[in-house]
Amino acid sequence: MTMTGQPFKTLKFFVLAMVQYCKRSVFYLLAKGGWLMLLSTVVAAVGIVLVTIDGPHEKVLQRIENCRYFEFT
């Protein structure tokens, strides 16, 4: 059995592995850092997704980038 021979089965196992990885990551963050660490990780992940994917939120992100408050120079 090869990966290209059964693409749906391969995709299913990949999705299951990613879900298991996310569960383990959440449990680790809760055990080591608590809710604050988990919440900050989720907020950072959402922020990265919003910055990298184009969509209707793009105008809001452009306004935030143009705001003088966020300039460090």
Side-chain angles (χ1 to χ4, degrees), residues 4-73:
T4 57
Q6 296 180 352
F8 293 113
K9 200 174 226 183
T10 303
L11 181 63
K12 174 186 160 187
F13 287 135
F14 174 75
V15 169
L16 288 174
M18 291 304 297
V19 168
Q20 184 179 12
Y21 175 76
C22 289
K23 280 183 183 178
R24 287 183 181 175
S25 297
V26 167
F27 289 138
Y28 175 80
L29 287 172
L30 286 174
K32 297 293 180 182
W35 287 102
L36 181 62
M37 183 68 108
L38 179 65
L39 183 64
S40 62
T41 303
V42 170
V43 168
V46 169
I48 290 170
V49 168
L50 286 176
V51 168
T52 56
I53 295 177
D54 294 334
H57 59 276
E58 192 171 353
K59 287 184 178 181
V60 175
L61 291 175
Q62 285 177 351
R63 288 183 183 172
I64 291 173
E65 289 175 0
N66 292 335
C67 185
R68 290 199 182 270
Y69 180 78
F70 290 104
E71 289 184 11
F72 294 106
T73 57

